[in-house]
Amino acid sequence: QVQVAESGGGLVQAGGSLRLSCAASGSIGKINGMGWYRQVPGKRRDMVAVITSGGSTNYADSVKGRFTISRDNAKNTVYLQMNSLKPEDTAVYSCNVNVAALIGRDLEYWGQGTLVTVSS
């Protein structure tokens, strides 16, 4: 069993910053990668930033240069530093954890999400 817990969401003024944290716990073997996704009502959930266990990162074009994803492998924790926030960044941000399986397909785990609201 794997538990994913996010924190750090809140209300911030445009131009401000927030730092999201996501901790994975439980029966975790090898984590292939962790990432942040966001979703607004009526739209599909989009990738914001992902990071592999080896440190490779990928960002959505809309957040490049503003957001930074990092990971503490020893703590099974991923962070998303969000700077220069814009109203269009408002969304529910969810943490994804991809866990390697010894047999069968890899497993995906999701947190409950944390709301980020950016006011103008």
Side-chain angles (χ1 to χ4, degrees), residues 22-102:
C22 172
S25 61
S27 301
I28 303 176
K30 180 182 182 296
I31 296 179
N32 295 321
M34 302 178 72
W36 290 95
Y37 295 72
R38 66 187 182 187
Q39 186 176 30
V40 298
K43 296 185 178 180
R44 298 181 62 86
R45 181 158 53 190
D46 295 326
M47 185 273 290
V48 177
V50 295
I51 185 168
T52 70
S53 60
S56 298
T57 60
N58 190 30
Y59 297 90
D61 289 340
S62 59
V63 307
K64 288 181 178 178
R66 299 188 297 119
F67 292 8
T68 302
I69 189 170
S70 61
R71 180 180 176 181
D72 186 335
N73 289 343
K75 298 180 179 180
N76 293 324
T77 300
V78 66
Y79 307 93
L80 185 67
Q81 179 66 46
M82 304 184 293
N83 298 326
S84 301
L85 283 163
K86 305 174 181 179
E88 50 263 45
D89 294 319
T90 296
V92 174
Y93 286 71
S94 299
C95 179
N96 171 268
V97 181
N98 184 277
V99 180
L102 295 179

Side-chain angles (χ1 to χ4, degrees), residues 99-110:
V99 180
L102 295 179
I103 185 172
R105 66 187 299 272
D106 294 339
L107 303 176
E108 296 276 347
Y109 297 91
W110 292 90

